[in-house]
Amino acid sequence: MQPLRRLLPLLAAAQAAGILLADRVWMRSEIALPAGLLALLLGLFAKGSPRLRAASAIIVFFCAGAVALETRLDAARFAPAEGVVEATIEGRVARVGRQVDWMWVELGRVRNPDAAGPSLPRGVRIQGPPTPPALPALESHLVGERIRARVRLKPPRALQNPGSRDRTRSLARRGLGAIGHLVHPALHVEIEAANAAPLREFLERVRADGSRRLRAAGPGGGLLAALSLGDRSGLSPQVRDTLARLGLSHLIAVSGLHLTLIAALAYAVGRLALTRLGSLVERSDPRRLSILVAVGFAAGYALLSGWGVPVRRALVFLIAVAVGFARRRPGIRGQPLALAAIVVLAFEPGALFE
């Protein structure tokens, strides 16, 4: 176990290197996949050689990073003969964004129910102005639902200012190969509920209800919903532009700062409560119990705030630090950050470039 802990920074670096090479098309899955499997087998049978096992683990993580990103890039390939394709698509809701003047819904596992229809990417982003109040809103669908919609699709455009982030490449790294607009705001329907993830559906409903209550509380409700739940749908374009010009946009994106504040508050309250229980304090260290309470509250808040990449990174970091503290074993510098990088990049390889 100890050599693995010491190896974590190298594994994270190898994983990131594989992602970088795959992004530049210098490493293909046709090479990375068999090389990774061969290294895995070599590591399993090299029980008497720690160095060989360490080298095998580094190669496995390198190849895994390359395969993870290239899988996303392959899912985003979309080159229609015409500039715009109109089609009926089915997909599972992966992410929903709402603003006062704009909305978007990202779909994964996209397919064309018409076998004779055009070839589609596996990931699509449908966007546009908010749905008029008299019609069922596309942005009201929950994450996990499978929907069908009639859309016009086109590849993302690469227009950008010199030196700015390539938006097209950013979408492709997340597996999104097309930008779509509804042919009509009402041409969408739910065909399968999100029954496979009842916890996610429950959290989405709680988050939406909490955000709605905060926005209705008064003029500052939209800002409070953004700060606490990461829901920026109540912020006007003027407020978002003002925050951007002041350099404060990061405050309305729930991140490690928010998670740390919640965890610190839960730790302080938990320790204060536990120290008043004399019999319990005599048997165990209240600090160790308090940090477990803090991690529990932090995990609940991470789920409730949208489960974004910065929150996930901070949560893994916090769990790693908490485990080391609870076991009273000093960690090697960089271990928690390396572990957080490995976990986040395993599910979101494109997060390396954000």
Side-chain angles (χ1 to χ4, degrees), residues 25-41:
V25 203
W26 294 346
M27 175 59 69
R28 303 287 299 178
S29 59
E30 292 85 353
I31 299 175
L33 188 58
L37 291 175
L38 182 61
L40 179 62
L41 291 175

Side-chain angles (χ1 to χ4, degrees), residues 53-324:
R53 296 187 71 179
S56 300
I58 291 174
I59 295 173
V60 167
F61 273 72
F62 172 83
C63 296
V67 171
L69 183 65
E70 192 179 4
T71 301
R72 299 292 184 95
L73 297 177
D74 286 341
R77 299 193 191 282
F78 182 52
E82 302 84 7
V84 179
V85 171
E86 181 174 326
T88 299
I89 66 171
E90 293 180 2
R92 194 167 296 279
V93 178
R95 188 176 303 175
V96 179
R98 307 176 186 89
Q99 294 179 357
V100 173
D101 57 340
W102 200 248
M103 68 86 189
W104 66 90
V105 176
E106 295 180 2
L107 301 179
R109 305 179 189 177
V110 172
R111 75 177 190 92
N112 193 335
D114 182 6
S119 178
L120 300 175
R122 294 284 291 169
V124 167
R125 176 171 175 156
I126 305 174
Q127 62 185 26
T131 307
L135 297 174
L138 176 69
E139 60 270 29
S140 65
H141 289 293
L142 299 176
V143 173
E145 291 181 353
R146 189 163 187 87
I147 65 173
R148 178 180 295 172
R150 185 71 179 178
V151 296
R152 294 189 181 95
L153 299 175
K154 61 181 180 181
R157 292 186 295 176
L159 298 178
Q160 60 178 339
N161 294 324
S164 64
R165 185 176 64 174
D166 187 347
R167 178 171 172 266
T168 301
R169 194 64 178 173
S170 179
L171 291 174
R173 288 165 181 155
R174 288 161 50 193
L176 301 174
I179 298 294
H181 301 271
L182 290 173
V183 173
H184 186 276
L187 291 181
H188 61 88
V189 64
E190 175 191 328
I191 59 176
E192 182 183 339
N195 294 329
L199 177 59
R200 177 188 294 178
E201 183 179 2
F202 171 75
L203 290 172
E204 286 287 329
R205 293 189 184 280
V206 170
R207 184 181 182 221
D209 183 64
S211 178
R212 183 170 57 253
R213 290 173 181 272
L214 289 173
R215 293 198 307 269
L223 182 59
L224 186 57
L227 289 170
S228 59
L229 298 175
D231 184 3
R232 288 174 277 184
S233 61
L235 298 179
S236 66
Q238 294 78 14
V239 171
R240 295 199 306 271
D241 182 63
T242 300
L243 290 171
R245 286 187 284 110
L246 290 173
L248 299 176
S249 295
H250 61 284
L251 294 179
I252 58 174
V254 176
S255 61
L257 172 65
H258 303 71
L259 194 77
T260 304
L261 291 174
I262 293 294
L265 179 62
Y267 176 81
V269 173
R271 185 175 179 183
L272 179 62
L274 290 171
T275 51
R276 295 180 179 274
L277 301 175
S279 58
L280 180 62
V281 173
E282 292 176 359
R283 294 195 301 268
S284 60
D285 186 350
R287 296 176 300 173
R288 300 173 70 181
L289 295 176
S290 299
I291 203 167
L292 294 178
V293 172
V295 169
F297 272 89
Y301 178 70
L303 291 170
L304 193 59
S305 63
W307 198 240
V309 169
V311 174
R312 276 176 274 168
R313 178 185 61 219
L315 180 61
V316 176
F317 192 98
L318 178 64
I319 292 174
V321 172
V323 169

